Amino acid sequence: ASAGWVVMIRYQDRDGEIFEGRDAVDVVDQLRLASKTGRGQTSATFMKAYARRAGMMAGHDIRTATEARFVEDLVAVGLLTAIAYQQ
């Protein structure tokens, strides 16, 4: 990327909602703010609660040590899909 450009990442959830940011930390913030229960939580608390629900409902094992691992696992189990920007 050239100087002055900000590279953004973009994901879509199964409901069609778009979450984007500069990195996984931004994406988790967007997920947390969009959540009915996540707004008052820290990102760490939100990720643990989300992972626990995903485990109970569908048997998914979502790592929560870092935002990057959390987002990577959401993609791996199909809860988020990476989407490209249109050029």
Side-chain angles (χ1 to χ4, degrees):
S2 326
W5 283 69
V6 177
V7 176
M8 301 289 280
I9 55 174
R10 178 184 272 188
Y11 295 94
Q12 185 171 13
D13 71 7
R14 292 196 293 187
D15 295 328
E17 191 164 350
I18 303 292
F19 301 93
E20 61 187 9
R22 291 182 308 265
D23 54 26
V25 173
D26 283 350
V27 171
V28 170
D29 278 343
Q30 294 299 313
L31 287 165
R32 182 178 56 77
L33 292 172
S35 166
K36 291 178 181 131
T37 59
R39 289 188 189 129
Q41 299 177 335
T42 65
S43 288
T45 301
F46 168 73
M47 290 189 301
K48 287 176 185 167
Y50 191 109
R52 191 169 38 252
R53 285 190 305 274
M56 287 189 304
M57 294 191 321
H60 297 310
D61 186 18
I62 309 292
R63 296 172 293 171
T64 60
T66 66
E67 287 87 346
R69 286 191 176 128
F70 179 74
V71 171
E72 181 180 303
D73 286 353
L74 293 182
V75 171
V77 299
L79 294 173
L80 283 181
T81 302
I83 56 174
Y85 278 93
Q86 298 296 324
Q87 294 291 328

